[in-house]
Every structure is written in C-alpha cells, then in structure tokens.
Amino acid sequence: MIVEVIGGADEVPEVRVADVDDLARLHLAVGALTDEDVDRALREAGLGRLAEGDTGLLDVAALRAAAEPQATAEDWAQRFDGMVEQAVEKGWTADDGASLQVHVEPAASA
C-alpha cells in the first residue's frame, strides 16, 4: 500500500491511498514538495504526519478508513490486521501503537 502526497490542482498537495490490496509493503511516496507541505497535507487529510529524516507516521485507523473502501480482496481486513501486527512486532509503531512508522520515498509521478 502506498500513501501518496503529490502536487495537486493549483499546487495544493493531494493525499491519496493507492495499491490498497498490496499489504506486503507500506510506504509514503512524496512528490516534489517541501517537508512542510507534506506534513501539512498529511495532517489536514487526517492520515498522519512527517517525523524526522525519511520517516512518516501514518494513523492506523485513518489509513484503514481510507483504504478499506477501495479494497477488492475478500480477506483484506484480516491481511490489514496482520500487517499492523507485524509492524507492532518489529517496533515500527509510534503514538502507543496508533501510528505506523513508514519510509518516505520519491513518488513515481514526481
């Protein structure tokens, strides 16, 4: 799954969740935007925020709410829960487990 933050209409950053059925990998893809713009867009979308360096924090409940309506796999909810459990086991959480730590990568459309 990918959370994308890219330049939108009138240069207002757009946040969208893509590849929701691919739960083997989760990352934040960022277009040609400043860290401040990305952080603001994530916060305004209610999906999370930037941390330091190349790390983002995505709110688990908000991510699920944004992704689940797009999911096509019948077992998606169980696989999403498994992805979160794996992140907890590996210590890839923050905010007492309410957020997942993810890598920030350049967006393909950037």
Side-chain angles (χ1 to χ4, degrees), residues 61-99:
L63 182 61
R64 181 183 206 121
E68 196 164 20
Q70 301 176 55
T72 60
E74 288 185 24
D75 64 343
W76 187 89
Q78 293 81 16
R79 291 176 45 236
F80 182 89
D81 291 343
M83 177 186 72
V84 172
E85 288 173 20
Q86 183 179 24
V88 169
E89 290 171 6
K90 294 188 181 240
W92 298 339
T93 61
D95 305 324
D96 293 330
S99 297

Side-chain angles (χ1 to χ4, degrees), residues 1-4 25-29 58 102-106:
M1 184 177 344
I2 305 168
V3 175
E4 298 176 322
R25 180 179 151 131
L26 173 63
H27 69 277
L28 181 61
L58 299 176
V102 297
H103 290 288
V104 177
E105 300 177 4

Side-chain angles (χ1 to χ4, degrees), residues 26-75:
L26 173 63
H27 69 277
L28 181 61
V30 175
L33 300 165
T34 66
D35 287 351
E36 293 80 16
D37 287 339
V38 172
D39 185 65
R40 185 178 324 106
L42 286 169
R43 288 175 189 269
E44 288 175 359
L47 280 172
R49 65 188 189 278
L50 280 185
E52 66 280 339
D54 61 350
T55 303
L57 299 172
L58 299 176
D59 181 272
V60 173
L63 182 61
R64 181 183 206 121
E68 196 164 20
Q70 301 176 55
T72 60
E74 288 185 24
D75 64 343

